[in-house]
């Protein structure tokens, strides 16, 4: 990639603020009382299962859809009912939506021409941006003669060249194979850090969202389930849905039993207890019922030994399934309370791996334990498949 | 195949020049000469009967012995023009009467819209030596197709012994006409004039001349007929030439007059049968017309304003002729029906509805004082026709007066295809103006 | 050696497409190519108007002769068909546009509404126009009654009536391809245009119109070609000096029995139509034609 664009910060980024935005189609609520603040220059992702309202949210910000209620503010300007062509926003569409009747050059130049940018300036800018997306010399090509990845980059160039204050990207990688997708992710991120504009990125690929975002939200059924930096949201999921949607989680039903010194004790079904930092308890518990969670990779697994000394939370169980995955071992452990817990142990050659049927002890530090309110509506497998 | 069989049965040998003419398009004389041999051969092939047809009857088709060998099949298929026969609540009283007295069922088809296209419909069957599906067809003498049928031997010569009514009652106007001397092949169905019709509300001083069609007063309101033979003949009358005695240079004069009429914007359009509708609509106020159309229109109170003018220069008299196409399967039944129409009682019923020129003068008395079965038939038709039978009987359009007969003009009798082409070349471009 | 069976397989694979296209090919040959060749051969034949018998005489003179003789009618047909087609484009574009973009769930209903008059026979529809445009018809009576036109004003028998009839009768041939072209424009592309600062009107001119061009051209051809050869409208609605070539061909065949002449003019008509299609294929690619036929 060329260095030409590196120094130039293309635009002044803006912040985006959605207040109580609701969108319903024929009475069906697609986006429900959404409140969202995106900082200027941020790489912000919208994450969630299919049909949760990501595209709808994006389309309202882009101006292709009017909210049923609520307001949208871009850089301090209320644009709730402003036409798309009057917003300093550009979109990279899920399907690229390149102009089939125009060549690459005219596709990229389309926005500049509408803004009445001078001819020579258009030529320089288009040339520069094609360098940035690594497609120099493609000016005269027809867009339908380009590969998917190339079309993708043209769509990106076509939006970026206008130096918008905000760039909206709707699942821009969905049609790319894994390798190209990875390459593009890196490229996008480097462009973003170079041009410094606000990116609002829609995806239902959680890994993509976590690797690229400064912050992200997880949406479900038109509502925000969790918001924060990827690590925040991952380590300390705010709801059962976020915990299950983002990465794998072990969630055990329990009841709040008592508190002491910043730690809350939760009893599981058959008398065993787990400790959770009180700060990581959900704020709005409607009763004593909670779900205690721990990520599989945070758990240590030991073959049972009467003399074993453990710190933090401890559970006993029996290995049901043990799978060797090369970089590690994955275990499915049935606890004495009847719950299944997944454990992921890295293959660092330290201990002898427990085998199926062996009695084991699971332990993890208290600070890696979290608790969430049980979901009111059950989480279907469809929602988790991404 | 016996190619000469057919030629021998032709009463008069066909002039080879005529045959040559038929095979020729608008080619130079030299081209025509080089063509004639081929054309002649092909014509004989086309005209000769199928082997089975010529072998099945040992005698020559149409000879008296041939006729004697024919038997009644008690069915006859009759092709005629629309609205051309008595009609009462969907039935034809004369045909019903015919069936009840002879036991011969009549299948009546109103399929003829114009001579040229109907001829094209039956020609392939005739050329292939097959039954056309009709035992009687009605062709007009003012178009070349009747001549083609006769010249190609595609009509069965009539059984002269079966024309008893005809011999007795056929009027002088149609008996032994120039286009079929001795009635060898045809018997008239009806005749009519091609003349002038006008709207007497809009035309106050029609005068007596054919010049009304060329009057600039009625520019854009004059209808002319799109049939080149009708158009050309009216043009000839307008330049003071007898069509029957005209020459090619007369045709040119007539064409010039008609072209002038068109370029002066006098002609609204060249119409087929639809002219009458336009006259009724008021799209045109004066038009070339067929006499019976105007008479029939007048029967309706709504169109009382339409008047027929037989100009002093004359009006073209045409005749529709019944004939029996070759390979007819029921010639004896056809012959019986054709002569039946020359019974004055029968003709009175046909004419009460039709109002064209009646081929049977004696039908007039039958209209005034019906003597047979026709009495009841005429009475029952009275309410649908709407006028007393005396109106038809006294009409000089139906039973023409001697002056009217005198003013009637005959069409030019083409002597070769070359003449037909010359005529078409003269008058078709006027109709098909760009 | 495995080469013989492989060759055999390859041979069969190579033949397969031809075998598969055999029914379609036969169909085309039997019902299109053969009649076409017969028609073309008639131009070189000499036919008897009386017997209908034709003899091959290799006379090349008929074609230039009739083309020259009926040049005027060709020009008239070209002009009428062209004007009627333009009229149809102007009339049906907004209709097709509206149905395609704003028809919503009732698109099919609107399309059927557009087509309903055309379920009636061609001749009857034209005759109704004759009735409407007649001097004592509703339209002219109204206009004259309100002194909107001079008392002598008439439409029937003029080129105007013929063009109106052509435009009316061939409207679906224009509207449907236009609809198809507009309907299949990707709405996301229009969003993209709006996103890139193109207002509605700019989007129309810069995106919708260029994308509809193949459809417009297809609509043009599909309307122009039949209108060019039409013989009904002029016969019923036309006057004395606007005969179209279709009428001439019809008369040559049915009245004049001049088959060679009729066939020659038909051949010229065919060549002109093919020229239009060839031009389309050259400019817009043959693939896109199929989409509209
Ligand atoms: N134009 C529309 N009319 C009616 N319903 C719509 C419309 N657009 C979206 N919806 C509905 O709104 C809900 C949210 O749709 P949206 O496209 O925002 O989902 P998404 O999160 O982008 O899903 P995906 O990941 O599958 O793209 C869905 O239930 C969808 O069916
Ligand atoms: Mg989406």
């Amino acid at each position: 990639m060329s260095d030409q664009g590196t120094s130039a910060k293309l635009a002044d980024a803006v912040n985006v603020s959605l207040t109580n935005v609701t969108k319903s189609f024929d009475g069906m609520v697609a986006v429900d009382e959404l409140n969202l603040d995106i900082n200027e220059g941020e790489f912000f992702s919208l994450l969630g299962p299919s049909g949760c309202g990501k595209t709808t949210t994006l389309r309202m910000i882009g101006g292709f859809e009017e909210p049923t209620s609520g307001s949208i503010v871009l850089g301090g300007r209320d644009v709730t009912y402003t036409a798309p062509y009057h917003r300093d926003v550009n979109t990279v569409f899920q399907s690229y939506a390149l102009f089939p009747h125009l060549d690459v050059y005219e596709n990229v130049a389309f926005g500049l021409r509408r803004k009445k940018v001078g001819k020579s300036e258009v030529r320089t800018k288009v040339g520069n941006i094609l360098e940035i997306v690594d497609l120099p010399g493609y000016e005269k090509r027809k867009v339908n003669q380009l590969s998917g990845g190339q079309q993708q980059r043209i769509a990106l160039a076509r939006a970026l060249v206008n130096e918008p204050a905000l760039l909206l990207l709707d699942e821009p990688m969905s049609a790319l194979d894994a390798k190209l997708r990875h390459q593009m992710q890196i490229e996008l991120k480097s462009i973003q850090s170079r041009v410094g504009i606000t990116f609002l990125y829609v995806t239902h690929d959680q890994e993509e969202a976590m690797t690229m975002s400064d912050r992200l939200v997880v949406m479900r059924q038109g509502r925000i389930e969790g918001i924060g930096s990827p690590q925040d949201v991952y380590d300390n999921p705010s709801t059962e849905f976020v915990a299950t949607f983002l990465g794998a989680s072990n969630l055990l039903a329990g009841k709040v039993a008592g508190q002491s010194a910043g730690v809350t004790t939760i009893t599981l079904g058959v008398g065993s207890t787990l400790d959770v930092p009180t700060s990581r308890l959900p704020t709005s518990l409607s009763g004593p019922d909670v779900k205690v969670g721990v990520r599989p990779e945070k758990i240590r697994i030991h073959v049972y030994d009467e003399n074993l000394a453990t710190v933090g939370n401890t559970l006993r169980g029996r290995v049901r399934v043990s799978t060797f995955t090369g970089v590690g071992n994955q275990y499915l452990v049935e606890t004495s309370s009847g719950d299944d817990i997944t454990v992921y142990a890295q293959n660092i050659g330290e201990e002898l791996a427990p085998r199926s049927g062996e009695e084991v002890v699971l332990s993890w530090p208290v600070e890696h334990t979290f608790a969430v309110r049980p979901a009111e509506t059950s989480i279907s497998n469809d929602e988790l498949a991404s | 195949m016996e190619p000469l069989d057919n030629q021998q049965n032709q009463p008069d040998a066909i002039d080879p020049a005529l045959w040559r003419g038929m095979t020729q398009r608008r080619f130079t004389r030299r081209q025509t000469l080089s063509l004639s041999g081929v054309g002649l051969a092909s014509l004989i092939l086309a005209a000769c009967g199928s082997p089975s047809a010529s072998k099945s009857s040992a005698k020559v088709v149409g000879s008296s012995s041939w006729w004697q060998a024919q038997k009644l099949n008690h069915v006859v298929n009759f092709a005629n023009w629309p609205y051309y026969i008595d009609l009462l609540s969907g039935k034809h009283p004369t045909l019903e009467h015919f069936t009840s007295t002879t036991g011969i069922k009549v299948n009546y088809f109103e399929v003829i819209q114009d001579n040229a296209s109907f001829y094209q419909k039956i020609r392939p069957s005739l050329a292939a030596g097959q039954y056309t599906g009709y035992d009687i067809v009605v062709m007009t003498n003012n178009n070349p197709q009747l001549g083609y049928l006769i010249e190609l031997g595609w009509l069965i010569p009539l059984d002269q012994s079966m024309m008893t009514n005809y011999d007795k009652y056929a009027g002088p106007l149609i008996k032994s006409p120039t286009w079929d001397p001795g009635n060898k092949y045809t018997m008239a169905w009806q005749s009519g004039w091609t003349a002038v019709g006008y709207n007497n509300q809009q035309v106050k001083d029609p005068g007596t001349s054919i010049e009304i069609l060329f009057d600039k007063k009625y520019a854009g309101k004059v209808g002319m007929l799109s049939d080149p033979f009708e158009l050309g003949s009216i043009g000839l009358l307008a330049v003071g030439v007898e069509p029957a005695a005209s020459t090619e240079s007369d045709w040119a004069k007539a064409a010039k007059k008609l072209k002038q009429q068109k370029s002066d914007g006098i002609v609204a359009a060249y119409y087929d049968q639809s002219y009458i509708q336009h006259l009724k609509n008021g799209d045109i106020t004066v038009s070339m017309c067929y006499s019976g159309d105007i008479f029939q229109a007048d029967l309706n109170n709504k169109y009382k304003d339409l008047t027929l003018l037989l100009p002093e220069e004359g009006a073209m008299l045409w005749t529709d002729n019944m004939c029996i196409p070759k390979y007819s399967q029921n010639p004896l039944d056809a012959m019986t029906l054709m002569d039946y129409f020359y019974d004055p009682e029968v003709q009175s019923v046909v004419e009460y509805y039709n109002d064209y020129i009646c081929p049977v003068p004696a039908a007039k008395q039958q209209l005034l004082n019906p003597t047979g079965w026709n009495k009841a038939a005429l009475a029952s038709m009275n309410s649908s026709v709407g006028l007393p039978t005396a109106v038809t009987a006294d009409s000089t359009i139906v039973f023409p007066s001697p002056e009217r007969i005198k003013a009637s003009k005959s069409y030019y009798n083409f002597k070769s295809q070359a003449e037909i082409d010359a005529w078409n070349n003269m008058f078709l471009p006027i109709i098909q103006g760009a | 050696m495995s080469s013989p069976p492989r060759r055999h397989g390859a041979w069969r694979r190579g033949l397969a497409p031809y075998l598969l296209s055999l029914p379609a090919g036969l169909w085309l040959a039997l019902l299109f190519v053969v009649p076409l060749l017969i028609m073309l051969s008639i131009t070189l034949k000499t036919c008897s108007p009386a017997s209908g018998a034709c003899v091959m005489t290799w006379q090349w003179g008929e074609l230039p002769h009739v083309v020259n003789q009926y040049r005027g009618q060709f020009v008239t047909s070209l002009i009428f068909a062209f004007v009627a087609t333009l009229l149809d484009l102007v009339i049906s574009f907004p209709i097709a546009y509206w149905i395609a973009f704003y028809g919503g769930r009732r698109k099919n209903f609107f399309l059927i509404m557009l087509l309903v008059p055309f379920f009636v026979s061609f001749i009857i529809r034209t005759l109704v126009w004759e009735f409407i445009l007649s001097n004592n018809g509703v339209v002219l009576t109204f206009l004259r009654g309100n002194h909107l036109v001079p008392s002598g004003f008439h439409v029937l028998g003029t080129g105007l009536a013929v063009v109106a009839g052509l435009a009316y009768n061939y409207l679906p041939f224009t509207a449907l391809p236009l609809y198809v072209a507009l309907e299949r424009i990707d709405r996301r592309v229009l969003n993209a245009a709006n996103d890139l600062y193109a207002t509605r009107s700019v989007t129309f001119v810069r995106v919708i119109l260029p994308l509809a061009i193949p459809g417009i051209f297809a609509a043009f051809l599909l309307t122009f070609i039949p209108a060019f050869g039409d013989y009904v409208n002029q016969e019923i609605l036309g006057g004395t000096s606007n005969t179209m070539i279709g009428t001439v061909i019809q008369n040559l065949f049915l009245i004049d029995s001049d088959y060679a002449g009729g066939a020659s003019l038909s051949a010229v008509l065919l060549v002109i139509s093919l020229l239009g299609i060839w031009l389309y294929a050259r400019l817009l690619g043959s693939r896109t034609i199929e989409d509209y036929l």
Side-chain angles (χ1 to χ4, degrees):
Chain A
M1 188 171 290
S2 135
D3 281 339
Q4 269 178 309
T6 21
S7 58
K9 185 171 181 282
L10 288 180
D12 293 323
V14 290
N15 58 338
V16 183
S17 161
L18 278 67
T19 313
N20 293 329
V21 169
T22 297
K23 175 71 190 179
S24 43
F25 296 104
D26 302 327
M28 197 224 59
V29 180
V31 172
D32 194 0
E33 293 282 324
L34 197 71
N35 287 289
L36 192 60
D37 284 291
I38 301 165
N39 302 324
E40 43 198 83
E42 206 170 17
F43 195 113
F44 193 95
S45 290
L46 284 179
L47 193 59
S50 185
C52 73
K54 304 180 299 289
T55 297
T56 306
T57 306
L58 207 73
R59 286 175 61 78
M60 288 191 288
I61 298 171
F64 311 114
E65 217 85 70
E66 274 183 10
T68 311
S69 64
S71 69
I72 299 169
V73 175
L74 290 183
R77 181 171 152 242
D78 187 323
V79 295
T80 316
Y81 303 106
T82 309
Y85 38 85
H86 289 136
R87 300 186 189 202
D88 195 9
V89 175
N90 287 114
T91 309
V92 180
F93 292 88
Q94 192 162 354
S95 55
Y96 318 147
L98 299 178
F99 302 116
H101 60 298
L102 300 177
D103 61 14
V104 166
Y105 183 87
E106 286 303 325
N107 259 281
V108 176
F110 194 92
L112 296 176
R113 294 214 194 281
R114 301 290 85 74
K115 290 205 283 190
K116 305 260 182 288
V117 173
K119 262 204 174 119
S120 59
E121 200 183 336
V122 170
R123 204 172 311 123
T124 341
K125 286 195 167 180
V126 173
N128 283 344
I129 206 78
L130 286 178
E131 296 269 357
I132 290 179
V133 298
D134 207 13
L135 288 171
Y138 276 67
E139 282 86 347
K140 290 289 155 238
R141 293 281 279 272
K142 290 204 158 175
V143 290
N144 54 15
Q145 292 170 350
L146 300 178
S147 74
Q150 290 167 333
Q151 291 188 25
Q152 163 68 60
R153 282 178 278 170
I154 296 302
L156 195 62
R158 185 178 70 172
L160 272 177
V161 77
N162 302 296
E163 305 168 13
L166 170 65
L167 189 64
L168 307 174
L169 303 101
D170 192 355
E171 307 200 24
M173 317 280 194
S174 56
L176 306 189
D177 63 43
K179 195 173 166 212
L180 190 54
R181 177 187 285 225
H182 187 65
Q183 194 182 318
M184 282 301 301
Q185 283 170 356
I186 294 167
E187 219 158 299
L188 248 193
K189 192 66 190 164
S190 80
I191 289 169
Q192 196 259 343
S193 57
R194 221 176 318 148
V195 298
I197 59 180
T198 312
F199 271 50
L200 179 50
Y201 193 92
V202 165
T203 180
H204 55 214
D205 178 339
Q206 44 164 295
E207 204 182 306
E208 190 172 275
M210 285 195 283
T211 52
M212 295 174 76
S213 312
D214 296 324
R215 283 195 307 150
L216 55 81
V217 295
V218 176
M219 286 178 72
R220 185 190 182 209
Q221 293 171 353
R223 260 171 280 174
I224 291 178
E225 290 268 335
I227 181 163
S229 70
Q231 177 150 20
D232 256 10
V233 178
Y234 182 83
D235 283 346
N236 191 16
S238 47
T239 65
E240 184 182 348
F241 178 77
V242 176
T244 20
F245 184 79
L246 267 194
S249 281
N250 296 298
L251 287 173
L252 309 168
K255 284 184 173 29
V256 176
Q259 289 187 359
S260 63
V263 171
T264 301
T265 307
I266 288 158
T267 56
L268 304 178
V270 282
S272 45
T273 61
L274 294 175
D275 289 342
V276 181
T278 305
S279 60
R280 299 187 70 173
L281 268 180
T283 45
S284 56
L285 274 180
S286 49
D289 289 328
V290 288
K291 282 201 167 177
V292 187
V294 61
R295 297 286 183 185
E297 71 276 10
K298 299 280 168 53
I299 304 173
R300 295 200 65 177
I301 187 166
H302 318 271
V303 177
Y304 177 71
D305 180 349
E306 253 174 282
N307 306 320
L308 192 72
T310 55
V311 287
N313 287 317
T314 310
L315 286 174
R316 270 185 65 179
R318 182 187 301 276
V319 175
R320 276 213 303 159
V321 185
S322 164
T323 322
F324 178 66
T325 62
V327 290
N329 276 296
Q330 189 172 315
Y331 305 96
L332 196 61
V333 176
E334 187 177 358
T335 63
S336 41
S337 55
D339 293 309
D340 275 344
I341 291 184
T342 306
V343 178
Y344 189 78
Q346 264 201 320
N347 183 7
I348 47 176
E350 224 176 28
E351 282 175 70
L352 216 61
R355 289 186 304 274
S356 293
E358 259 187 300
E359 288 273 321
V360 289
V361 173
L362 308 177
S363 71
W364 65 89
V366 171
E367 63 266 31
H368 286 154
T369 319
F370 58 85
V372 294
R373 190 157 56 111
E376 282 138 30
T377 52
S378 63
I379 298 161
S380 71
N381 279 334
D382 278 357
E383 286 183 281
L384 300 179
S386 57
Chain B
M1 193 182 284
E2 297 114 319
L4 288 180
D5 165 83
N6 221 293
Q7 233 192 350
Q8 281 165 349
N9 87 47
Q10 297 298 323
D12 305 312
I14 297 173
D15 173 9
L18 176 57
W19 284 31
R20 186 163 60 243
M22 284 173 178
T23 65
Q24 164 203 342
R25 287 195 321 275
R26 295 158 198 133
F27 289 141
T28 64
R29 184 161 291 277
R30 195 175 55 78
Q31 280 174 318
T32 309
L33 284 173
S34 68
L35 277 178
S36 56
V38 194
L40 191 68
S42 74
L43 256 184
I44 292 168
L45 285 174
C48 84
S50 70
S52 62
S54 47
K55 266 175 199 149
S56 62
S57 56
K59 310 290 179 199
V60 174
V61 174
S63 66
S64 57
S65 53
W66 182 87
W67 274 110
Q68 268 157 29
Q70 302 304 312
K71 290 194 185 63
L72 278 181
N73 295 323
H74 298 287
V75 67
V76 57
N77 296 315
F78 185 1
N80 205 344
W81 298 60
Y83 305 108
Y84 215 16
I85 194 167
D86 48 289
L87 181 71
L88 182 64
S89 19
K91 293 184 171 152
H92 309 294
T94 52
L95 297 181
E96 305 250 296
H97 180 70
F98 177 73
T99 305
S100 70
T101 54
T102 62
I104 299 171
K105 183 178 184 302
V106 183
N107 297 317
Y108 188 74
F109 302 98
E110 299 187 317
V111 287
I112 310 181
Q113 296 285 349
D114 66 86
N115 288 284
S117 57
F118 183 71
Y119 180 69
Q120 294 214 340
K121 271 196 204 111
I122 59 170
R123 187 176 57 196
S125 303
L126 291 168
Q130 280 161 1
Y131 181 38
T132 60
Y134 305 117
D135 304 301
I136 305 175
V137 299
V138 175
M139 306 297 287
T140 319
N141 71 316
N142 64 358
N143 264 251
Q145 286 75 26
L146 179 61
Y148 293 160
L149 285 171
I150 295 174
E151 299 303 341
L152 289 167
W154 281 349
L155 294 182
I156 297 177
L158 304 182
D159 183 353
Q160 301 292 327
S161 70
M162 288 183 74
M163 294 163 71
T164 43
N165 282 330
Y166 188 88
D167 293 338
K168 204 159 156 195
Y169 295 115
L173 206 57
I174 44 99
K175 207 164 186 175
S176 187
T178 52
W179 61 89
D180 182 21
N183 288 102
K184 282 199 181 81
Y185 301 101
T186 69
M187 289 158 81
W189 170 254
Q190 302 277 290
S191 304
W193 284 292
T194 300
V196 178
Y198 62 91
N199 183 320
N200 58 35
Q201 292 303 298
Q202 274 141 318
V203 180
K204 291 296 180 195
D205 51 342
T208 56
S209 168
I210 203 164
E211 276 300 320
I212 187 174
L213 291 171
F214 301 85
D215 194 335
K216 284 200 177 131
K217 238 190 331 208
Y218 308 117
K221 295 287 200 174
V222 174
M224 299 296 278
L225 291 177
S226 60
D227 181 324
F229 303 102
E230 297 285 18
L231 184 71
S233 301
I234 289 289
L236 285 168
L237 290 181
V239 295
V241 176
E242 288 274 336
S246 60
T247 62
E248 264 198 60
S249 65
D250 295 329
W251 302 351
K253 261 186 269 169
K256 196 172 161 221
K257 171 123 183 153
L258 292 165
K259 255 183 224 140
Q260 189 61 43
Q261 176 201 29
K262 176 175 148 182
S263 61
D264 286 349
I266 293 168
V267 183
Y270 298 94
Y271 298 108
D272 53 14
Q273 199 61 44
S274 67
Y275 79 90
I276 187 71
Q277 208 49 49
H278 291 273
L279 206 52
K280 288 174 177 176
N281 282 349
D283 293 331
I284 49 179
T285 53
V286 186
S287 182
M288 277 174 73
C289 73
Y290 301 116
S291 54
D293 287 343
I294 302 292
F295 194 98
Q296 284 180 8
D298 274 345
L299 295 182
N300 187 333
N301 245 339
K302 214 171 140 192
Y303 307 120
K304 266 258 164 282
D305 299 345
L306 301 190
T307 306
L308 180 72
L309 167 68
L310 295 182
E312 62 198 11
E313 291 88 346
M316 299 310 298
L317 178 78
W318 45 261
T319 299
D320 283 331
N321 303 276
M322 295 183 278
C323 42
I324 307 176
K326 209 175 173 195
Y327 315 116
S328 157
Q329 287 178 350
N330 314 297
L332 204 60
D333 307 80
M335 204 59 232
T336 313
L337 180 59
M338 281 160 71
D339 195 54
Y340 164 78
F341 282 112
Y342 277 82
D343 176 343
E345 289 182 10
V346 174
Q347 194 56 236
S348 68
V349 177
V350 173
E351 214 53 66
Y352 187 37
Y353 174 87
N354 244 357
D355 303 308
Y356 274 93
I357 300 173
C358 184
V360 180
K364 180 170 180 166
Q365 275 313 307
Q366 283 297 325
L367 277 163
L368 295 170
N369 298 303
T371 54
W373 70 274
N374 59 332
K375 188 167 184 168
L378 290 171
S380 62
M381 284 167 72
N382 182 274
S383 64
S384 74
V385 172
L387 287 171
T389 49
V391 173
T392 304
D394 293 338
S395 166
T396 57
I397 296 176
V398 180
F399 297 99
S401 54
E403 311 89 72
R404 291 230 149 155
I405 291 178
K406 218 176 126 224
S408 300
K409 303 291 181 189
S410 297
Y411 291 87
Y412 180 77
N413 249 337
F414 292 106
K415 282 173 273 304
S416 70
Q417 183 65 35
E419 285 192 351
I420 297 174
D421 289 341
W423 181 286
N424 276 336
N425 268 345
M426 214 73 87
F427 297 106
L428 266 184
I430 301 172
I431 299 156
Q432 303 183 344
Chain C
M1 286 297 280
S2 63
S3 88
R6 232 180 41 220
R7 272 245 287 281
H8 182 69
W11 179 80
R12 250 206 262 172
R13 262 196 305 281
L15 202 67
Y18 296 100
L19 283 175
L20 285 174
S21 68
L22 202 64
L26 277 177
W27 173 271
L28 197 72
L30 218 67
L31 297 178
F32 181 68
V33 178
V34 169
L36 193 72
L37 289 179
I38 290 175
M39 191 202 73
L40 288 177
S41 76
I42 289 177
T43 65
L44 301 179
K45 284 181 176 173
T46 302
C47 301
S48 154
S51 70
C54 292
V55 178
M56 180 54 88
T57 48
W58 302 105
Q59 295 292 338
W60 297 95
E62 188 64 11
L63 195 121
H65 171 73
V66 286
V67 167
N68 193 41
Q69 182 172 0
Y70 296 108
R71 213 174 29 208
Q73 285 86 337
F74 263 115
V75 173
T76 304
S77 303
L78 275 173
I79 293 172
F80 282 8
F82 188 76
V83 174
T85 306
L86 283 191
L87 216 65
D88 272 346
L89 284 174
V90 169
I91 293 168
S92 52
F93 196 94
I95 298 173
Y97 184 85
W98 189 85
I99 296 177
F101 285 92
Y102 301 101
R105 252 171 268 154
R106 274 191 257 146
K107 269 178 196 169
N108 286 335
F109 170 74
F110 292 128
L111 279 181
I112 287 173
M113 288 301 283
L114 184 72
L115 292 181
V116 157
F118 299 94
F119 295 164
V120 175
S121 132
F122 190 80
I123 305 279
I124 305 227
R125 262 182 289 138
T126 314
L127 285 172
V128 169
W129 268 95
E130 182 184 16
F131 182 73
I132 293 170
L133 296 178
S134 112
N135 283 2
N136 293 341
V138 255
V139 178
L140 288 191
T141 307
F142 173 81
L143 290 177
R144 266 197 313 268
N146 292 285
H147 303 286
L148 295 171
V149 294
S151 62
F153 183 81
H154 66 111
V155 182
L156 221 54
T158 63
L160 185 68
V162 182
V163 169
L166 287 173
Y168 171 73
N169 274 316
Y170 292 103
L171 190 76
F173 293 79
T174 329
L176 289 183
L178 283 182
Y179 169 78
V180 172
L182 292 169
E183 165 63 26
R184 63 146 147 225
I185 290 178
D186 189 346
R187 300 303 188 269
R188 291 170 298 197
V189 168
L190 304 186
N191 275 340
N194 285 338
D195 185 69
L196 295 163
Y197 319 111
T199 57
R200 280 155 165 270
S201 54
V202 173
T203 305
F204 180 80
V205 174
R206 298 278 169 184
V207 182
I208 295 178
L209 217 49
L211 287 177
I213 285 282
I216 293 173
F217 203 177
F220 184 91
L221 278 185
L222 286 177
T223 314
F224 181 81
I225 289 173
F228 184 44
D230 183 89
Y231 61 90
V232 172
N233 285 281
Q234 196 277 332
E235 287 247 317
I236 296 179
L237 304 172
T240 59
S241 57
N242 42 36
T243 308
M244 291 177 69
I245 201 69
T247 309
V248 171
I249 293 174
Q250 197 209 13
N251 287 346
L252 286 180
F253 272 112
L254 293 184
I255 294 180
D256 215 5
S257 291
D258 182 357
Y259 300 120
S264 299
L265 290 182
S266 301
V268 175
L269 210 65
L270 186 77
V271 166
I272 293 177
S273 304
L274 287 178
L275 224 79
I277 292 170
W278 175 80
L279 205 69
Y280 182 103
R282 275 306 294 267
L283 292 179
L284 300 160
S286 56
R287 287 275 306 284
T288 49
I289 296 183
E290 300 157 20
D291 302 338
Y292 297 98
L293 293 180

